Amino acid sequence: MIAALLSRQTPFRDTWWRGQGQLDLLGVCFASLKEQVDSERRQQLLQEAYQLSDTLRSLRSEEVEEEVQLLGAPKEELVNSPDGSQHCLWVDEFAPQYYTELLSDDFTNRCLLKWLKLWDPVVFGRERPARKPRPSMDLARGGKEATISSKWKSHEQVLEDMLEADLDPSRRPRQKVALLCGPPGLGKTTLAHVIARHAGYSVVEMNASDDRSPEAFRTCIEAATQMESVLGAGGKPNCLVIDEIDGAPVAAINVLLNILDRKGPQDAESGGPGVPTSGGRRHRADGGLLMRPIICICNDQFMPSLRQLRQQAFLLHFPPILSSRLTQRLQEVGEGWGWTRRGAAWPTTGWGDMPPVLALASSASRSLQPAPGHDCTGLLFGSRRFQQGPRLISLRQGMQADPGALAALCEKTDNDIRACINTLQFLHGRGRRELSVRAVQTTRVGLKDQRKGLFSVWQEIFQLPRAQRQRWAQDPSSAPHVLLLGDGHLDPGPRAAEAPLTTAAQRLHRILHVAASAGEHEKVVQGLFDNFLRLRLRDSSLGTVCTALDWLAFDDLLTCTAHHGQSFQLLRYLPFLPAAFHLLFASSHMPRIAYPSSQQEAQSRTSRTQNLIHTLVAGIAPAIRSRAAPQALVLDALCLILDILAPKLRPVSTQLYSTREKQQLASLVGTMLAYSLTYRQERLPDGQYIYRLEPNVEEVCRFPELPARKPLTYQAKQLIAHEIEMEKMRRAEALARVGDGPQVDRGPPGATAPLGGAGEKEAQPPTSHSQEEQWLEQRLERILKKAALEDQPERDFFGRVVTKRAAPLSAGAVAPETDVAERRIGRAVGRSDVWFRFKEGVSNAVRRRVPIRDLL
Amino acid sequence: MVQIVISSAGAGGLAEWVLMELQGEIEARYSTGLAGNLLGDLHYTTEGIPVLIVGHHILYGKIIHLEKPFAVLVKHTPGEQDCDELGCKTGTQYLVTALIKNKILFKTRPKPIITNVPKKV
């Protein structure tokens, strides 16, 4: 029987040679395809055969040795041939399929699984097991809490509390979405898939490659959570996994939040805020409640678009993977076996040893199949692993790697699983079968893009790197000049930054690299400028500060010249400023770095001041404007003007001033009007009213820290403001009068010669008017002229002009007399000699002292 | 002892004056002063309400009968010519020239008189 099996293997071999490793179906003829299918079926038969041979093994040891020899040959041939199954990535092949195969932190895995279990009541209809009281745990924690202040819960405690919390009124967990965040390559997506599958869901994934406009998002979410796929789901409920959610547009995330916020009728009754239901009426949100769990995955949890989501989500941070675990896994991958971690160590020799292991595996797997929904306590093997026979065969002799080299690889990629496995496959594909430390050091590793914030850049510049053990992932013999060409052309990978940090030259190059790859040079420099004085300076003469300031000036000059003349090649020199700062200021003590705001403040203040000056200059009277240029005004005159404008004024009514004081006030008002300054009342935020100069040029020439001169009181400013208003009105009227009539001066009424005998009611018009009267009359006439329309002749109903018949002469004779009388009265009234001025109030209590001698 | 002599002017009846009380000030338009100028017109309506027209103001008042009438005294300081042969005392004398029993009080706010209202404005 065994001979027959052996003979059947030859066509299998032929097929592979002919195919030359091409997957392309057209390159392989149909007959060979059929043969491949047949061969796979044969493999299965083989396995069962080996189970039998297991029992015969002990009896026929010499035959087993023969098999080994025979199988050794095809094994070598297989190795020599180009592998036909290199069409799939090792990352996908060796992806963990089961909970126990996960590489990430146990606590994280458990938390996510627990959270997913919270959905059981809704999705599977299974009740939550009652929480067992744990007195032992409390006792243990009691001792701990004495030391830790109970105010600050550790993150683990927070998570535990969240998981232990009660469910919603609609029996869903409080956090309806889980957010996994961490650096790339840790296995977040894999974790989500594995755990969802483990808990009995079928996974629906939405990726960065999908269309993520809000409509498509909504459609996808609703499809995933409310519908089941027709094919292949096998009756399992859906679990939606949204990958790379930090790249989704904000509108799409808002759609997700809306779906999360939908409340059911039970929630409404419990008094959710803002739910517009009247008592008793059911409010169905359109689309219905969210009844399936959603897992979101992101790299950077501090993206602004995720802010709202973070508050509502079950947040899980991914700690980095332990190097030891990663090394082990890589070893397993390289050797192409299953998980040596928990089982016996299997030698990498021929087929002979496969059968007992296979038997063990299949029996174990049959008894320990994970039932959906049950907690997996300790599966030893993934049985599916061993069904992929042909692949394992081909990769069996994958890579020989010693643990040292693998550890170096892990370090180089910073424990990024995907990068490690990709590197291994890459090297394997290039024909390398042995992995050495040297190879690891000189190879370039591709990593997923990552964002590093400005704060990390500043931290690297200002902090001396701690002396670490020699990192053997980096090539120590690489000359510094290789590092210099850090454009990505020749540098040994993105981890060039972690060069051995002992020499200043290498530190310099590291900072150069960091600074060059930080996109916002302006912000970096501003941050340096704002924070560099907070560091502990080692140099007591402040020479370093001077050098730093010189560098800043140089940087300004560079950017100016580069942008002015479009000579952008000068921008190549910009990263040297952070490097210089590092060499000047880096210390092991890390100060608090504040986000730079000084430039913005200075800019806003400058613009405000310039606006003030501009306003002031625009309002100055022309006579003065000719002598006051803005520059001269600000530098020389303004400060002194403000002193002139604050004389000592008595806080009494202006009526009580002496002439000198009145003159002083008048000159002050004149000055202020000349510079178009005034005081305006303003209300402070705390309710007080103050008078402020407008435009407030005190800001221009008074330093806020210095004590101001004694300011004017509120009353004085009020007084001055009032006087200024009055003077303005007077001047405006004077201007208007000048504009209206030919008369220039308007003297006081009593100054001119009075009319004689104005009391006589004579029809003669007075020969000489006082100018005021003349002006008044003329003004009145002018107003009447402006206002009066043309006299329209009267028209009757039909529009015919009505002509008035002349009044009878008698009436006409009488009429002029009365007219004259009326006119005379009118004139008398308007021209009387005596004026009466009414005064309100009573004057009963006027007393006068009358001595007797006046009476005598 | 201070003695002030008040005597009546003559046998004939004393003049009867009326006191006009205005609430306010009277000013002269020109600097010549008030003396000799026409103050205004005093009329009485049919109901007996006094109406005073001063300048362009018109005031309405009322007649009040004084409970304590006033007397108008004129001071008479005798010069040397007035001295009697009997050797009268050279003292000031007050002569009553008039009595005031009523007063007209104008205490309301005056109303203005507008004389020239154009036909169309």
Side-chain angles (χ1 to χ4, degrees):
Chain A
M1 185 181 74
I2 295 164
L5 283 172
L6 284 175
S7 63
R8 257 189 235 156
Q9 286 207 356
T10 27
F12 182 70
R13 255 184 308 151
D14 284 336
T15 314
W16 280 42
W17 280 332
R18 198 183 307 141
Q20 300 258 341
Q22 283 176 1
L23 174 61
D24 190 13
L25 288 173
L26 296 177
V28 180
C29 64
F30 184 64
S32 53
L33 281 177
K34 240 169 72 171
E35 282 175 70
Q36 273 185 6
V37 169
D38 287 336
S39 64
E40 281 182 25
R41 228 179 278 151
R42 265 177 250 135
Q43 295 302 326
Q44 285 184 0
L45 290 173
L46 247 185
Q47 287 166 16
E48 283 165 298
Y50 281 136
Q51 288 170 24
L52 293 172
S53 71
D54 174 43
T55 55
L56 300 170
R57 201 177 160 206
S58 53
L59 300 171
R60 298 191 210 172
S61 54
E62 58 276 359
E63 289 182 8
V64 166
E65 281 167 40
E66 277 178 22
E67 285 171 18
V68 168
Q69 284 168 3
L70 285 165
L71 283 174
K75 175 189 81 179
E76 278 148 14
E77 284 166 6
L78 279 174
V79 163
N80 290 336
S81 72
D83 274 328
S85 68
Q86 285 223 337
H87 52 272
C88 60
L89 288 176
W90 289 7
V91 190
D92 294 332
E93 254 189 71
F94 293 98
Q97 306 282 342
Y98 293 97
Y99 182 82
T100 48
E101 298 169 8
L102 293 167
L103 266 189
S104 38
D105 184 32
D106 280 333
F107 178 72
T108 324
N109 301 347
R110 224 177 339 114
C111 277
L112 187 59
L113 191 58
K114 266 196 188 169
W115 175 81
L116 211 49
K117 289 294 184 188
L118 291 179
W119 279 90
D120 275 354
V122 172
V123 178
F124 294 111
R126 209 170 300 124
E127 284 308 319
R128 239 179 121 186
R131 269 177 279 150
K132 297 163 278 216
R134 290 182 276 180
S136 55
M137 288 284 291
D138 288 332
L139 279 176
R141 240 191 270 150
K144 244 187 162 182
E145 273 173 7
T147 50
I148 305 170
S149 68
S150 54
K151 253 199 307 178
W152 306 106
K153 290 190 178 167
S154 72
H155 189 59
E156 290 83 25
Q157 283 179 352
V158 169
L159 284 180
E160 300 269 351
D161 288 341
M162 274 202 274
L163 288 170
E164 297 292 328
D166 285 333
L167 297 177
D168 251 355
S170 52
R171 297 174 81 223
R172 303 178 290 168
R174 293 250 171 229
Q175 289 95 16
K176 302 181 186 36
V177 65
L179 184 62
L180 311 179
C181 52
L186 288 185
K188 305 187 286 293
T189 317
T190 325
L191 171 72
H193 279 261
V194 167
I195 287 203
R197 252 202 319 265
H198 183 84
Y201 292 91
S202 99
V203 181
V204 174
E205 173 158 353
M206 184 151 64
N207 219 334
S209 341
D210 299 330
D211 180 20
R212 293 207 281 191
S213 62
E215 303 80 33
F217 213 80
R218 184 196 297 277
T219 323
C220 188
I221 292 180
E222 293 190 351
T225 55
Q226 289 163 20
M227 298 189 250
E228 243 184 63
S229 78
V230 176
L231 316 158
K236 290 189 189 167
N238 286 338
C239 173
L240 181 63
V241 173
I242 305 179
D243 212 350
E244 321 279 355
I245 199 172
D246 48 354
V250 183
I253 298 185
N254 285 338
V255 165
L256 177 63
L257 287 168
N258 285 340
I259 294 175
L260 290 178
D261 284 338
R262 285 190 198 147
K263 288 195 182 340
Q266 295 107 334
D267 290 329
E269 279 162 17
S270 72
V275 175
T277 51
S278 56
R281 196 153 50 102
R282 287 188 57 186
H283 171 72
R284 291 279 314 190
D286 82 292
L289 290 184
L290 178 72
M291 300 300 266
R292 296 283 182 267
I294 297 181
I295 303 179
C296 299
I297 302 173
C298 70
N299 281 334
D300 178 14
Q301 60 163 328
F302 294 111
M303 287 288 284
S305 52
L306 294 178
R307 209 172 284 152
Q308 276 193 314
L309 188 63
R310 266 200 304 142
Q311 290 162 4
Q312 293 189 22
F314 180 69
L315 194 58
L316 267 182
H317 293 280
F318 263 73
I321 303 174
L322 294 173
S323 304
S324 49
R325 272 177 106 163
L326 185 55
T327 325
Q328 267 188 330
R329 176 61 59 88
L330 288 179
Q331 196 150 19
E332 290 148 16
V333 164
E335 294 167 0
W337 285 115
W339 318 115
T340 61
R341 203 166 7 119
R342 292 197 183 123
W346 299 315
T348 59
T349 49
W351 279 108
D353 293 316
M354 276 273 281
V357 173
L358 276 174
L360 263 174
S362 48
S363 60
S365 64
R366 247 179 275 121
S367 58
L368 292 174
Q369 277 285 344
H374 285 307
D375 229 324
C376 169
T377 46
L379 238 204
L380 284 182
F381 312 118
S383 62
R384 277 177 57 194
R385 245 356 316 38
F386 296 90
Q387 288 161 10
Q388 297 173 20
R391 292 215 197 102
L392 268 184
I393 294 165
S394 62
L395 290 172
R396 203 171 25 124
Q397 291 298 320
M399 308 273 292
Q400 299 278 1
D402 59 73
L406 289 177
L409 181 62
C410 296
E411 213 179 291
K412 191 178 175 101
T413 59
D414 212 15
N415 291 340
D416 182 345
I417 312 177
R418 193 190 284 126
C420 289
I421 299 186
N422 282 339
T423 317
L424 282 180
Q425 187 174 7
F426 179 69
L427 290 172
H428 181 78
R430 282 295 165 106
R432 279 187 200 257
R433 291 290 176 267
E434 275 211 13
L435 191 68
S436 66
V437 181
R438 175 84 202 159
V440 168
Q441 282 169 353
T442 49
T443 191
R444 267 186 268 286
V445 179
L447 285 176
K448 194 170 167 193
D449 283 342
Q450 223 186 345
R451 278 225 189 112
K452 269 198 165 174
L454 282 171
F455 279 92
S456 67
V457 173
W458 288 324
Q459 195 167 352
E460 288 209 20
I461 294 175
F462 281 135
Q463 194 169 26
L464 271 181
R466 281 164 295 161
Q468 294 173 352
R469 56 179 164 76
Q470 208 217 333
R471 298 186 73 129
W472 36 328
Q474 189 54 35
D475 192 1
S477 66
S478 66
H481 71 267
V482 173
L483 298 170
L484 237 183
L485 307 166
D487 286 331
H489 181 49
L490 278 183
D491 72 340
R495 297 295 176 206
E498 274 107 46
L501 305 154
T502 46
T503 67
Q506 277 157 335
R507 269 165 47 206
L508 176 79
H509 291 112
R510 169 175 160 235
I511 297 289
L512 274 180
H513 178 83
V514 168
S517 43
E520 306 161 316
H521 179 77
E522 284 253 349
K523 270 273 181 285
V524 170
V525 170
Q526 275 173 30
L528 293 177
F529 172 66
D530 266 15
N531 291 299
F532 82 111
L533 289 174
R534 298 193 194 176
L535 303 169
R536 288 193 203 145
L537 303 171
R538 297 168 296 209
D539 179 18
S540 61
S541 66
L542 291 184
T544 45
V545 176
C546 295
T547 321
L549 292 172
D550 284 339
W551 269 100
L552 286 167
F554 175 60
D555 182 82
D556 271 343
L557 189 64
L558 266 183
T559 36
C560 218
T561 324
H563 291 286
H564 188 69
Q566 282 108 37
S567 39
F568 291 110
Q569 69 272 16
L570 291 175
L571 297 182
R572 187 71 180 84
Y573 297 103
L574 288 178
F576 282 88
L577 183 136
F581 266 67
H582 175 77
L583 293 174
L584 288 172
F585 292 118
S587 70
S588 46
H589 161 73
M590 180 62 189
R592 257 187 76 82
I593 295 189
Y595 197 77
S597 59
S598 61
Q599 183 183 357
Q600 208 154 8
E601 286 173 19
Q603 215 162 13
S604 66
R605 210 184 311 149
T606 316
S607 65
R608 206 166 54 224
T609 316
Q610 276 173 352
N611 279 341
L612 278 174
I613 297 171
H614 188 74
T615 321
L616 177 69
V617 165
I620 289 183
I624 302 168
R625 177 73 183 82
S626 61
R627 298 190 206 290
Q631 188 83 356
L633 189 68
V634 170
L635 289 176
D636 298 332
L638 206 55
C639 208
L640 301 169
I641 288 177
L642 288 176
D643 281 344
I644 293 171
L645 291 180
K648 283 215 184 68
L649 288 173
R650 280 192 300 149
V652 290
S653 162
T654 42
Q655 325 285 352
L656 300 172
Y657 277 174
S658 63
T659 32
R660 203 181 67 84
E661 281 178 333
K662 282 194 184 156
Q663 264 176 7
Q664 205 179 21
L665 183 62
S667 69
L668 168 65
V669 167
T671 313
M672 290 188 75
L673 277 176
Y675 283 91
S676 85
L677 294 165
T678 180
Y679 286 108
R680 204 162 289 281
Q681 192 183 38
E682 271 175 19
R683 188 166 187 268
L684 288 179
D686 54 357
Q688 268 192 328
Y689 286 92
I690 56 160
Y691 269 91
R692 220 195 279 268
L693 192 63
E694 175 169 330
N696 196 1
V697 289
E698 283 183 14
E699 282 186 25
V700 174
C701 56
R702 293 227 197 279
F703 289 105
E705 290 91 11
L706 293 181
R709 317 233 173 167
K710 195 157 181 289
L712 290 177
T713 57
Y714 180 86
Q715 286 83 3
K717 289 190 191 169
Q718 194 174 25
L719 177 75
I720 295 171
H722 179 73
E723 287 298 315
I724 289 175
E725 287 298 319
M726 302 289 293
E727 185 63 28
K728 258 198 243 180
M729 286 199 300
R730 273 183 227 130
R731 290 195 189 180
E733 237 186 87
L735 267 176
R737 205 171 284 179
V738 164
D740 274 343
Q743 291 95 343
V744 175
D745 55 313
R746 136 194 187 268
T752 56
L755 289 172
E760 306 151 22
K761 297 182 183 175
E762 275 151 12
Q764 296 170 3
T767 46
S768 61
H769 294 267
S770 73
Q771 293 191 347
E772 173 126 342
E773 273 186 36
Q774 228 176 10
W775 176 81
L776 274 170
E777 271 187 17
Q778 283 177 358
R779 189 152 183 205
L780 201 55
E781 279 166 14
R782 238 172 282 126
I783 291 173
L784 290 176
K785 267 187 236 159
K786 282 184 215 160
L789 308 165
E790 283 179 1
D791 252 0
Q792 295 260 349
E794 269 188 59
R795 290 168 190 270
D796 61 4
F797 179 69
F798 296 102
R800 297 176 295 202
V801 176
V802 170
T803 53
K804 277 204 176 111
R805 275 183 250 124
L809 275 175
S810 56
V814 171
E817 275 180 22
T818 49
D819 270 344
V820 167
E822 276 169 17
R823 228 182 289 127
R824 268 189 272 139
I825 290 174
R827 235 185 286 131
V829 163
R831 289 182 40 207
S832 63
D833 292 327
V834 168
W835 281 336
F836 172 62
R837 186 177 294 190
F838 180 74
K839 287 216 168 103
E840 283 272 341
V842 291
S843 57
N844 293 344
V846 177
R847 284 185 180 201
R848 260 181 47 178
R849 297 184 67 193
V850 181
I852 290 289
R853 62 171 174 271
D854 287 345
L855 294 176
L856 292 173
Chain B
M1 185 67 182
V2 177
Q3 269 187 335
I4 300 174
V5 180
I6 301 172
S7 58
S8 180
L14 291 170
E16 182 105 2
W17 284 15
V18 169
L19 181 67
M20 277 191 47
E21 190 169 319
L22 299 173
Q23 186 165 335
E25 258 182 352
I26 298 176
E27 292 177 351
R29 187 200 278 260
Y30 308 112
S31 54
T32 46
L34 289 167
N37 287 332
L38 176 73
L39 173 69
D41 295 328
L42 180 66
H43 304 280
Y44 287 88
T45 64
T46 44
E47 286 98 6
I49 295 176
V51 175
L52 178 65
I53 299 176
V54 175
H56 61 280
H57 286 311
I58 179 164
L59 298 105
Y60 294 89
K62 61 183 180 185
I63 303 176
I64 296 177
H65 181 78
L66 291 171
E67 285 176 1
K68 291 186 190 175
F70 286 97
V72 179
L73 303 176
V74 175
K75 194 171 178 182
H76 215 59
T77 47
E80 287 169 0
Q81 299 102 344
D82 286 345
C83 197
D84 252 2
E85 291 164 359
L86 291 174
C88 65
K89 290 177 188 164
T90 54
T92 54
Q93 274 191 344
Y94 282 91
L95 284 174
V96 178
T97 45
L99 287 179
I100 303 176
K101 293 203 179 136
N102 297 314
K103 78 169 177 184
I104 306 178
L105 171 64
F106 295 96
K107 66 176 180 182
T108 54
R109 189 174 278 276
K111 298 203 174 123
I113 301 174
I114 303 171
T115 51
N116 191 11
V117 181
K119 273 192 214 149
K120 291 182 194 177
V121 178

